[in-house]
Amino acid sequence: MPSESSSLPMRTAALTLAGLIFVGFKPLEIILQHKTPISVFPHLISPLLTSLTVLLSLFSFYPHIRTPVTYIWNCFFRPFLITKPSGDQREHLDAFYQGQADVYDSTRPYLLKGREMMLQLMASHLKAQSALVGGAAQKKKIWVDIGGGTGWNIEAMDEYLPISTFDAVYLIDLCEPLLAVARKRFAKRGWKNVHVLCQDASRFVLPEWKTGEVDPRGSVSVITLSYSLSMIPTFYPLLDRCDQVLDPGQGLIGVVDFYASRDSTSTRERAIGTAKYLEYKMGTIKSYNGRNNFLNTYFISIPYYVFLGCSRQRDATAAARAFQVEAGNKIGQGQGGLITPVSPFFKTGFPPISDPNANAMGLNLDHDMPDLSIGPSMLAETNMPTDGDGTGKIWSAHGTLNGQKQTMVEREGARRAIGSDGMAALGKQQTIYDVGAPLSPFHYQLRKAWRVPYLEEKIHEQFKTHIYGWTWEDPGIDVERLNITKDDHILAITSAGDNVLHYAIAAGVERIHAVDMNPCQGHILELKLAAIQALEYADFWKIFGEGRHSDFDTLLTTKIAPFLSSHAFAYWKTHSDQFSDNFYFQGFSGWALRIVQLAFAVAGVSADVKRLCNASTTNEQNKIWTEKLRPIFLNKVVCKLFLANPIFTWRTMGVPKNQVNCFLEDGTIEDFIKATLDPVPLHSRLKDVNYHYFLCLNGRYTPLSCPSYLKPEGFKTMKSAQVNNAFKLHTDTILNVLRGLGDESLTKIIVMDSLDWFDPIPKSTPLPPTGAQALDELDESPEDAYEHLKSELDFEILEMRRVLKPGGNAVWRSAAKYPWYRQRFELAGFKVHPIDIRENGKAIDAVNMYASFWRAEKV
């Protein structure tokens, strides 16, 4: 066959000839009709010329269209034109891929999305895991790529983690045409540690197992399945085998595949989807669901998932302690919490083991892995005899049978003694295979136990994105006026995390409980903590200083992911575009910035805004504010349409109606705005001190004007484990978090302005009796939730009294100078006094957003 270079002149000549025929089609047709023998069939001349033009064009462009033509032919036409093989699965695969093996890798990138993500996640977590293990002695590193076909996964992984990292890499596949491509690929790369094995995936055997070099059980470091799990009919025994050979301490399994349809009429999927069984069998570290919109249309998109997991036998006691003991959170520990998926066979109508139709459904009940005796598979275990009373006691990963502890050897011996036939005869009732530890994805996280486990409940559905992209309180004043020290145990509202990060940097606080009901606010703080640990300062600055990073999506998967919970990773993977332009213009608070900048542009004062941001003195700032910007902010149209509009104040500034009522007690909305903004220009310079207003006016921070965590010294401080390990991030109400904490376990509770949100309680209303609790069930409607909220304040105050040490403080800011609820604290036995009240046109801090600052001391 001529080479690409030698055939180029021929294709060029063919294209030129086709062009000449097309341009001179009519004259050439006339000439042929009169001057050639073919003129006796004049009606054939036009079709012949057209056909010749098309053939010449196809010949010219063949290298460019060969791949799609080959793919379309082999996938959609050839299967109907050839005789179907009558043999086994291997013959079917060979027949289907024989004609397209050499173009397979060229056609799948558009259809098989998520492969790179899975490999990047695997590589980043292996690196993070290696850093944790350090110089400790490690077992031989073996990677098994199941259903790897052409070897694309292995070659692609080399970009993220050198293949030389592994002692041995095995590609397992049953399709010889695809494996032939893989062998050529690996030979070209010169890899001596990469081996191709043509085997049935559900019964694969490695050479080390045959020679006795290693014990099969727990011998594999990495297992990957890229769009192969759903293609393997016997995926139950395959995942059973993966579970048995995966290293329980350090092993990782990565899967990317199509969703298993819940409504499919396929017998195999109706019994249980591959993803369900995967989550049941393995511990989840990361889970992401996406859609492949490869045609760029809303009408056609292919759902897929990416899964990164580990053995359910992995030790998670450190995480469990961090959550239960240090954070007072029992979710994921058992009763009423976030439990591990139970046996899917118990839920999906899977046929009893004794059902004669089970094998007809394509479910092989006797897949005992005869190649190597490495333990019973899941379905075989469900065949074990019951306890005699027909209840069918549970096998567990901890080796519990009928309430008695057994070793794996004893269990295997029992199975061998009974035999497969005997087990099938005795197994008259289906039992559940319980893997024992009911742990959540939070517990299997590799690096940091910051995010406390939470259930994704109905109330979270209303939070599609964050409300606050930055924090409005002045944390410097908090540290100074509250005397925050390294010995403090603080509970504070998360918001965007700026304040709690400042407490950690400025005082090295021993414990910080950051609480927010909006999961997205927790995702922001978690991302900041993770990015500080994973990135260099320059990249971190681009993300949160400038609010944009062109490679954020790549950094997220390749570096930041090991430090993130599965929930946070999935959220930022879906919302990575928030950092493509400007993060601070995203969320509800971002709309406030957009509107402000639009108002400045329409009024023609954008240049004055820049002058204000760069002013060298507070007097210069005040002059620009008074003469140029104040008339824009405080004109009646802006006040009425925006600042006095309850929809605007709630959606963009997070100010609910009850809080508006608080400052209306002291005057009009216009009075409140004047008292808030007029003192600010004279308080501190925007260009190097007052970063709160600088961000609002400039749209991004600068190295001189930014929160402490964005400064190089603050960034360095936060990298210290002693500092960042102080954080526990709760996704719940303040009341529920307080309930989980021990008596006298906190020194300070800083609730920002959240108490303004409650409905006023009449002075004559007594506190709830001792032992009473607020309802905590999910409310069916916003109205019910609102009624629930009204009754919650007193319970919250009583819980504050319980968890605070003597002399500890509950601290809040308020839009009112003398908020009504201070009396509820006094009724509960607190000593209440103001830290500062906004009077005489003076600012109480750099932000000055609130009329007062209060402290309730436990005496």
Side-chain angles (χ1 to χ4, degrees):
M1 187 174 183
S3 65
E4 179 71 18
S5 57
S6 64
S7 62
L8 181 60
M10 297 171 57
R11 297 201 310 272
T12 304
L15 182 60
T16 303
L17 182 57
L20 291 173
I21 295 175
F22 179 78
V23 173
F25 189 89
K26 195 63 179 177
L28 186 59
E29 183 181 19
I30 295 173
I31 293 172
L32 290 174
Q33 286 177 348
H34 296 88
K35 304 293 185 179
T36 65
I38 202 173
S39 60
V40 296
F41 302 107
H43 59 282
L44 295 178
I45 294 176
S46 180
L48 286 173
L49 287 175
T50 302
S51 301
L52 180 60
T53 304
V54 171
L55 289 173
L56 289 171
S57 300
L58 288 175
F59 175 75
S60 303
F61 290 105
Y62 180 70
H64 304 286
I65 64 174
R66 175 181 175 272
T67 296
V69 168
T70 302
Y71 170 74
I72 293 171
W73 169 256
N74 282 278
C75 289
F76 302 108
F77 294 99
R78 186 170 176 270
F80 299 101
L81 300 177
I82 63 173
T83 302
K84 292 185 179 181
S86 57
D88 56 14
Q89 175 76 358
R90 176 175 179 176
E91 291 186 16
H92 283 273
L93 290 172
D94 289 351
F96 181 75
Y97 288 107
Q98 183 66 53
Q100 57 172 312
D102 60 333
V103 300
Y104 182 92
D105 291 332
S106 302
T107 57
R108 266 52 182 190
Y110 306 102
L111 299 175
L112 308 182
K113 193 171 182 179
R115 295 186 297 173
E116 294 90 343
M117 185 198 306
M118 185 270 286
L119 293 174
Q120 289 171 347
L121 279 175
M122 178 64 74
S124 63
H125 283 71
L126 285 171
K127 292 175 184 177
Q129 194 166 259
S130 177
L132 285 176
V133 174
Q138 299 184 38
K139 296 191 296 186
K140 184 176 181 180
K141 294 185 179 67
I142 299 176
W143 171 18
V144 178
D145 185 32
I146 298 175
T150 64
W152 183 93
N153 278 351
I154 296 173
E155 185 173 56
M157 175 65 95
D158 192 54
E159 180 181 346
Y160 313 123
L161 186 69
I163 297 301
S164 58
T165 304
F166 301 96
D167 296 291
V169 179
Y170 293 100
L171 190 160
I172 308 291
D173 205 296
L174 201 57
C175 180
E176 188 56 44
L178 297 181
L179 293 179
V181 176
R183 293 187 185 96
K184 293 179 181 178
R185 167 176 266 138
F186 300 149
K188 185 177 180 180
R189 297 297 297 263
W191 288 327
K192 303 300 183 182
N193 59 333
V194 181
H195 313 282
V196 176
L197 303 178
C198 185
Q199 295 183 9
D200 180 348
S202 64
R203 306 163 72 88
F204 71 90
V205 179
L206 304 185
E208 291 90 338
W209 302 349
K210 289 183 177 180
T211 61
E213 180 183 347
V214 297
D215 180 4
R217 191 176 298 276
S219 63
V220 178
S221 308
V222 175
I223 298 174
T224 53
L225 297 102
S226 177
Y227 286 96
S228 57
L229 183 58
S230 61
M231 303 295 290
I232 298 173
T234 53
F235 65 86
Y236 296 123
L238 168 59
L239 289 176
D240 290 341
R241 199 173 193 81
C242 291
D243 177 44
Q244 291 164 338
V245 303
L246 189 65
D247 180 0
Q250 301 291 321
L252 295 176
I253 179 171
V255 179
V256 56
D257 215 323
F258 302 112
Y259 282 147
S261 173
R262 294 179 179 178
D263 300 324
S264 173
T265 56
S266 163
T267 301
R268 177 167 55 89
E269 289 185 355
R270 187 169 65 247
I272 173 179
T274 56
K276 284 268 186 197
Y277 191 54
L278 176 65
E279 291 174 347
Y280 159 70
K281 199 70 179 178
M282 302 293 179
T284 301
I285 296 176
K286 293 289 186 298
S287 180
Y288 171 80
N289 296 326
R291 285 189 171 271
N292 179 8
N293 190 11
F294 69 102
L295 293 179
N296 292 319
T297 174
Y298 291 104
F299 304 104
I300 301 177
S301 60
I302 303 174
Y304 68 95
Y305 69 91
V306 177
F307 174 90
L308 182 71
C310 61
S311 169
R312 294 272 289 278
Q313 299 176 47
R314 178 173 290 203
D315 183 12
T317 54
R321 174 180 173 78
F323 298 142
Q324 187 170 7
V325 178
E326 299 171 12
N329 181 283
K330 295 179 175 61
I331 291 179
Q333 297 302 309
Q335 297 297 324
L338 187 66
I339 62 173
T340 305
V342 297
S343 171
F345 297 95
F346 187 68
K347 294 182 176 180
T348 59
F350 182 79
I353 298 304
S354 58
D355 189 338
N357 295 320
N359 285 322
M361 293 173 64
L363 300 168
N364 181 7
L365 303 182
D366 188 22
H367 47 256
D368 181 33
M369 288 174 274
D371 297 313
L372 278 176
S373 182
I374 57 175
S377 68
M378 181 269 171
L379 287 180
E381 286 178 356
T382 61
N383 274 322
M384 290 301 293
T386 64
D387 61 351
D389 60 4
T391 57
K393 292 294 177 67
I394 293 172
W395 278 85
S396 79
H398 300 302
T400 304
L401 174 62
N402 296 342
Q404 302 296 320
K405 289 284 185 179
Q406 288 193 340
T407 66
M408 294 300 293
V409 174
E410 290 171 333
R411 293 167 65 191
E412 173 65 0
R415 188 186 185 287
R416 288 176 179 274
I418 297 173
S420 299
D421 294 335
M423 286 167 47
L426 290 171
K428 299 301 182 183
Q429 180 166 339
Q430 180 184 341
T431 58
I432 301 173
Y433 178 82
D434 183 357
V435 293
L439 301 175
S440 71
F442 297 94
H443 292 79
Y444 292 115
Q445 193 174 327
L446 294 188
R447 295 304 301 261
K448 297 288 184 176
W450 294 316
R451 195 65 173 267
V452 176
Y454 69 94
L455 298 168
E456 292 184 325
E457 297 178 342
K458 184 177 180 180
I459 193 171
H460 295 137
E461 295 176 3
Q462 63 181 296
F463 301 115
K464 302 300 182 183
T465 186
H466 61 272
I467 296 177
Y468 309 103
W470 65 96
T471 305
W472 267 109
E473 284 74 20
D474 185 346
I477 289 295
D478 291 353
V479 173
E480 175 187 341
R481 302 298 295 272
L482 302 179
N483 190 30
I484 295 176
T485 69
K486 64 181 180 61
D487 298 321
D488 273 316
H489 285 233
I490 296 175
L491 182 147
I493 292 178
T494 305
S495 189
D498 301 357
N499 285 15
V500 290
L501 288 170
H502 186 91
Y503 303 157
I505 293 169
V509 177
E510 186 171 342
R511 172 69 65 218
I512 298 175
H513 297 277
V515 183
D516 210 298
M517 195 62 196
N518 184 346
C520 306
Q521 300 297 155
H523 296 333
I524 293 176
L525 177 54
E526 192 177 349
L527 178 64
K528 289 177 179 178
L529 290 168
I532 288 172
Q533 295 302 302
L535 303 179
E536 298 298 326
Y537 176 74
D539 284 322
F540 183 76
W541 171 261
K542 286 182 180 179
I543 293 173
F544 288 110
E546 299 175 10
R548 67 181 72 182
H549 198 304
S550 58
D551 292 327
F552 173 77
D553 188 69
T554 301
L555 289 173
L556 175 67
T557 311
T558 59
K559 292 187 176 182
I560 303 174
F563 296 88
L564 287 174
S565 65
S566 181
H567 289 59
F569 171 77
Y571 176 82
W572 288 118
K573 194 66 182 178
T574 305
H575 295 83
S576 60
D577 60 342
Q578 290 195 0
F579 294 96
S580 61
D581 183 19
N582 190 333
F583 169 74
Y584 296 108
F585 284 166
Q586 309 301 320
F588 290 142
S589 58
W591 280 105
L593 292 195
R594 293 171 186 267
I595 292 171
V596 167
Q597 294 206 351
L598 177 62
F600 289 150
V602 171
V605 295
S606 296
D608 297 305
V609 172
K610 291 183 178 180
R611 287 175 50 226
L612 178 64
C613 291
N614 295 312
S616 299
T617 66
T618 54
N619 287 331
E620 183 184 353
Q621 286 182 166
N622 192 54
K623 186 174 187 298
I624 297 171
W625 164 253
T626 304
E627 296 178 359
K628 298 294 184 179
L629 302 185
R630 190 177 190 274
I632 306 300
F633 260 107
L634 298 180
N635 73 68
K636 292 184 177 180
V637 175
V638 172
C639 284
K640 188 171 184 179
L641 288 180
F642 298 106
L643 302 180
N645 186 328
I647 297 177
F648 177 84
T649 55
W650 169 242
R651 289 294 185 181
T652 63
M653 301 170 67
V655 179
K657 182 180 179 181
N658 277 345
Q659 190 164 46
V660 173
N661 292 335
C662 284
F663 61 70
L664 287 178
E665 293 180 3
D666 302 319
T668 66
I669 290 179
E670 187 174 351
D671 292 335
F672 184 84
I673 296 170
K674 290 178 180 178
T676 298
L677 298 179
D678 280 343
V680 170
L682 288 173
H683 181 274
S684 53
R685 289 194 305 262
L686 271 64
K687 77 171 187 177
D688 54 6
V689 178
N690 197 332
Y691 59 82
H692 304 87
Y693 285 99
F694 182 88
L695 174 67
C696 294
L697 298 175
N698 189 60
R700 56 177 57 88
Y701 295 114
T702 65
L704 287 177
S705 190
C706 63
S708 58
Y709 75 90
L710 280 171
K711 294 183 179 294
E713 57 272 22
F715 178 82
K716 182 178 179 180
T717 299
M718 281 304 305
K719 275 189 174 290
S720 165
Q722 184 176 357
V723 177
N724 64 66
N725 284 345
F727 286 87
K728 297 299 173 192
L729 280 57
H730 302 260
T731 309
D732 209 336
T733 63
I734 293 174
L735 176 59
N736 283 342
V737 175
L738 289 171
R739 282 173 171 170
L741 299 177
D743 295 350
E744 299 184 358
S745 59
L746 298 179
T747 57
K748 293 177 176 67
I749 300 173
I750 305 173
V751 293
M752 294 185 177
D753 62 331
S754 65
L755 303 183
D756 281 356
W757 293 32
F758 291 96
D759 270 9
I761 299 174
K763 293 182 180 180
S764 59
T765 303
L767 289 173
T770 302
Q773 287 195 353
L775 300 176
D776 60 359
E777 67 269 12
L778 292 178
D779 298 303
E780 293 298 325
S781 68
E783 292 77 19
D784 292 337
Y786 188 60
E787 291 300 316
H788 178 187
L789 180 66
K790 288 195 296 184
S791 68
E792 197 169 287
L793 176 60
D794 281 348
F795 292 100
E796 191 171 300
I797 292 174
L798 293 177
E799 285 297 320
M800 289 180 183
R801 185 179 66 185
R802 181 185 64 80
V803 302
L804 280 171
K805 295 177 183 292
N809 295 287
V811 181
W812 68 87
R813 288 175 168 86
S814 176
K817 292 181 179 180
Y818 298 94
W820 62 268
Y821 44 81
R822 69 188 191 280
Q823 298 165 350
R824 307 307 292 178
F825 279 91
E826 291 171 345
L827 194 60
F830 284 90
K831 181 181 179 181
V832 181
H833 53 87
I835 298 172
D836 207 344
I837 298 177
R838 199 166 64 188
E839 301 284 6
N840 304 318
K842 298 290 183 64
I844 63 175
D845 56 32
V847 181
N848 199 40
M849 185 60 65
Y850 301 99
S852 62
F853 190 15
W854 291 81
R855 177 203 315 261
E857 181 182 355
K858 179 179 177 179
V859 294

